[in-house]
Amino acid sequence: WGVHGMGGFTGTLLVGVLADRTVNPGTVERSFHQFYVQASCACICAAYSFIVSYILLKFLDVTVGIRPKRSHEGDLDMTQTGEQAYVTHRSSENLIEDGAASDDDSDTTTEDFEPATVKKGKVTPRRPMDSTRELRTA
C-alpha cells in the first residue's frame, strides 16, 4: 500500500486536477466533477482491494495458516537468512542442526558468531565462533 497504493491513489486524484485536453486531445478536462469521479473510483478500488485481500488472508489463515507457530518464530531469521534480527522471544526447540540451543528466558545472545556465507545461492547459517579465531574483516 505504501508505494503502489498511495502512488496510484494520488495519481488517480491528480487526473481530475491536472487533466488538459491540449496535452491529450479527446480525453477528460480538469474540473471539480472529474475530480469527484476520480476520487469515487479510487475509493471504490481501495475498498475492493481491502475486502478481497482480507477474505483471501482469512481463508489462507483458516486452511493452511499464515503465521508460524510461536515456538518457531524466534529462530526463523537464523534458519532462513543465517542472521538474527528482531528477537522478541526464543524457541524452546532447536531448529538449526548445528546452532546453539535456544533459551526461553533470554532475548539476546552473548556468543560471537561467524558471518553467514552465501555460496551458489545457498546460505550457510552463522555459527558460534571458535574462541581461538579472529573475526575476518572485509
Side-chain angles (χ1 to χ4, degrees), residues 2-120:
V3 176
H4 294 96
M6 288 306 296
F9 196 88
T10 304
T12 300
L13 293 179
L14 288 177
V15 167
V17 175
L18 303 173
D20 191 359
R21 284 196 181 130
T22 59
V23 174
N24 199 4
T27 59
V28 297
E29 181 73 28
R30 65 179 155 245
S31 66
F32 180 75
H33 173 70
Q34 188 60 41
F35 180 79
Y36 174 75
V37 169
Q38 297 293 124
S40 299
C41 291
C43 289
I44 290 168
C45 185
Y48 172 80
S49 297
F50 176 81
I51 292 167
V52 170
S53 295
Y54 183 82
I55 291 169
L56 288 173
L57 286 170
K58 271 299 184 191
F59 174 75
L60 287 172
D61 191 32
V62 169
T63 57
V64 295
I66 57 175
R67 185 169 185 170
K69 296 178 187 173
R70 185 167 174 84
S71 63
H72 291 173
E73 280 182 349
D75 288 332
L76 282 178
D77 289 327
M78 187 62 77
T79 59
Q80 297 294 314
T81 64
E83 297 179 343
Q84 190 70 34
Y86 305 111
V87 179
T88 57
H89 57 277
R90 295 237 182 223
S91 298
S92 58
E93 63 183 273
N94 189 10
L95 299 180
I96 306 171
E97 290 178 17
D98 48 340
S102 300
D103 180 18
D104 283 337
D105 301 324
S106 173
D107 62 351
T108 61
T109 182
T110 57
E111 290 184 86
D112 290 328
F113 284 91
E114 291 181 3
T117 57
V118 179
K119 291 182 181 176
K120 297 183 181 178

